[in-house]
Structure formats: structure tokens, C-alpha cells
Amino acid sequence: MTDVHATPHIAERSGIFRIGGDLPVHRLGFGAMRVVGDGVWGPPRDRDEALAVLRRAVDLGITFIDTADSYGPQISERLIREALYPYADDLVIATKAGLARTGPSEWHKLGRPAYLKQQAELSLRNLGVERIDLFQLHRIDPEVPLADQLGALVELREQGKINHIGLSEVTVDELSAARAITPIASVQNQYAPSFRQSEDVLEQCEKDGIAFLPWAPVARGEMAAPESPLASIAAEHGVTPVQLALSWLLYRSPVMIPIPGTSRVAHLEENTAAASVRLSEAEVERISQFLGS
Ligand SMILES: NC(=O)c1ccc[n+]([C@@H]2O[C@H](COP(=O)([O-])OP(=O)(O)OC[C@H]3O[C@@H](n4cnc5c(N)ncnc54)[C@H](OP(=O)(O)O)[C@@H]3O)[C@@H](O)[C@H]2O)c1
């Protein structure tokens, strides 16, 4: 396996996708939900390690970081600023709003326009930017008309406070309803080699050139467990199961931007080295068959 210490910017080997047509990122990104406390609440257990993870991500050539106002809340965005500000010109930071937090592991959909605008203002301040590159509606709130939720984001874009608009956990029908209101640059749905319920959404994104950001791409660590379904094929390949999972995702679609999360530098390095794993079409097919599709 490629040595990450001897290979600067290894993430660039994952190729490039242009989010919204004009924001180029290396396709293997980083999810910053795990740099906060348990239950995605409060400060991280090891603050120095959390800052080191963020700095190492950029050293490794990662140019796309996903976060949200609700991670902490606010703590993930503030740590990103502390670790990485002033930001490299090629770094794209995506954040989200639309989930209110009342305690550890407690999440509530909240899409009222005033709330979404307030959270965008807080994200601008916490990240220390004048414009958010990609602002994602974390969930569609069924209690608020979609046109009002997206209307708030369109206003923010018209004011120059956000660049592109993304969605999270949507169906194909919700994606097309949203696109009737405004251009959508990205969709973030749960997706992993072992969890492919959003296959239809991925196909739609591929057809329309929309970035697809699979969340929990290594099945929240399940792919790394000794009983990982990918353990035997990974061993044959001389890579770890997590690397095989991430590599499979990168091969699965050119619009795929995996955002694996971790709180540890060693895991970040292992995950990012997946950018240099090469699979043949036959191997990708074999893994797909093996996992049951
Ligand atoms: N849009 C949404 O609704 C939504 C929901 C959830 C997440 N997300 C985003 O998606 C990102 C990824 O999702 P996720 O963090 O839930 O799941 P994930 O990336 O599939 O897995 C993260 C978990 O796996 C462990 N892990 C990662 N790499 C590992 C390795 N090489 N070996 C062993 N364990 C490893 C991590 O523990 P360690 O910390 O010990 O490495 C962590 O507990 C998040 O960070 C966030 O940005 C979005």
C-alpha cells in the first residue's frame, strides 16, 4: 500500500470533481462530525488530536471538508477555523443548517427561514469566511413549505453570503422539487458499499452532474471491524477493508465525493491512502456482487 508519509497530497489521486461546475475539489474529502464530543455534542475528548486531524487532512491533499452548524453545535466549525485559518485557496468548506440540537444525539428538523438565516450568519462567523462555498439544507422540514426553506437559501445566495446550495437525505422526487425552485449543486445521503438505499438518487445526480456526498461511507466504522464484509477481498488486495470501501465508492461514480469522518490522525491517513488504490472494472463488479447487488 502507498506510504502516505512518502506521498505528499495523496488525496489528489482520487481525481477532481467541480461542485456546481466551478468549485474543483479532490474527490476524497473529509467529514468533520467526529472532531467533537460523543453524541456529536460538546468539545472533543482530545482537542489537540482533533486540530491535528484537520491540519493533516489538508497536508494530505484533501480540499473538501464537510461540517455543519449542529456538530457540537458550532464546535466543529470553530475547530476548523482554529486549525486552518487563513484557508488555502483551494480548500472548499461545506456546512449545513436545518437541524436544531437539544442534547447529545438529539436532532430536530427546523427549517423556518429565520432560523436557517441565523445559522448561516453563525456559520460565517464561526468559519471566519465572507461567503460559504456550499450551504446544505441538513433536512427538509416537513412542517415548512420547501419553497420557504430554499427561498431563505436563495436570499442568502443573492446577498453573496453563500455560493452553492446543497441538500441532505432527499428522495429523487424531493431533489426534482427542489431543482424546480433553485439549482442544486450537491446531495448528501447515507451511502456505503454495504448500504445502498440511495442508488436511485445517486443515478439522478450522475445524470445531472450533481455532486453526491455519501455520508457514513465506511458504515460508521463497521467496514473496519474484524468481521468487515470486505476483510477477505481487502486482504487479497493488500489494503485495509476501509480503503477498499472508499476506493469502491470512488469507482462507483464520477460524481461521488466520500467524506469519511474520524477523530484520529492514524485513521485519517489510512482512509486517505484509499485515493491511490487501483481497482479493475472486474474487481469493482466482484465487490458489488459480493455485497449483494
Ligand atoms: N448529512 C447527514 O445527515 C450526515 C449524517 C452523518 C454524518 N454526516 C457527515 O458524513 C461524515 C461521515 O459520516 P460518519 O462520520 O458518521 O461515518 P463514517 O465516516 O462512515 O465512519 C466514522 C466512524 O468510523 C470510525 N473510523 C473511521 N475511519 C476508521 C478507520 N480507518 N479504522 C477504524 N475506524 C474508523 C471513526 O472512529 P474514529 O474516530 O475512532 O476513527 C468513526 O466512529 C461525517 O463526519 C459528517 O461530515 C452527514
Side-chain angles (χ1 to χ4, degrees), residues 52-66:
V53 164
L54 292 162
R55 293 191 181 113
R56 186 75 178 121
V58 170
D59 282 352
L60 290 169
I62 285 175
T63 54
F64 182 75
I65 296 181
D66 176 71

Side-chain angles (χ1 to χ4, degrees), residues 12-28:
E12 69 191 15
R13 297 190 181 186
S14 61
I16 287 176
F17 183 82
R18 285 173 204 283
I19 296 175
D22 63 1
L23 277 183
V25 298
H26 294 149
R27 287 205 297 133
L28 189 51

Side-chain angles (χ1 to χ4, degrees), residues 52-108:
V53 164
L54 292 162
R55 293 191 181 113
R56 186 75 178 121
V58 170
D59 282 352
L60 290 169
I62 285 175
T63 54
F64 182 75
I65 296 181
D66 176 71
T67 184
D69 62 335
S70 49
Y71 298 166
Q74 302 194 17
I75 291 170
S76 172
E77 291 179 331
R78 289 181 185 167
L79 285 171
I80 290 171
R81 179 183 184 160
E82 186 177 341
L84 300 173
Y85 191 89
Y87 302 116
D89 289 345
D90 61 355
L91 183 64
V92 171
I93 301 174
T95 193
K96 320 181 190 79
L99 285 175
R101 301 297 310 277
T102 49
S105 305
E106 293 175 10
W107 308 80
H108 311 274

Side-chain angles (χ1 to χ4, degrees), residues 30-35 66-68 71 96 99 107 136 138-139 167-169 188-190 192 213-222 224-225 240 242-243 259-264 266-268 270-271:
F30 174 71
M33 188 183 83
R34 303 280 173 181
V35 295
D66 176 71
T67 184
Y71 298 166
K96 320 181 190 79
L99 285 175
W107 308 80
Q136 305 157 93
H138 213 150
R139 288 290 183 279
L167 300 172
S168 174
E169 280 304 307
Q188 183 170 148
N189 277 16
Q190 185 174 4
L213 281 49
W215 65 261
V218 299
R220 300 193 182 91
E222 254 173 53
T240 69
V242 167
Q243 289 169 336
I259 45 169
T262 179
S263 56
R264 293 168 213 272
H267 287 168
L268 172 77
E270 175 187 343
N271 299 350

Side-chain angles (χ1 to χ4, degrees), residues 22-23 131-135 157 160-165:
D22 63 1
L23 277 183
R131 188 167 68 155
I132 293 164
D133 298 321
L134 174 63
F135 194 69
R157 194 179 52 212
K161 292 178 178 172
I162 69 175
N163 186 355
H164 292 294
I165 295 173

Side-chain angles (χ1 to χ4, degrees), residues 34 111 121-122 158 229 252 259 265:
R34 303 280 173 181
E121 294 293 343
L122 289 175
E158 284 165 1
R252 171 64 189 84
I259 45 169
V265 171

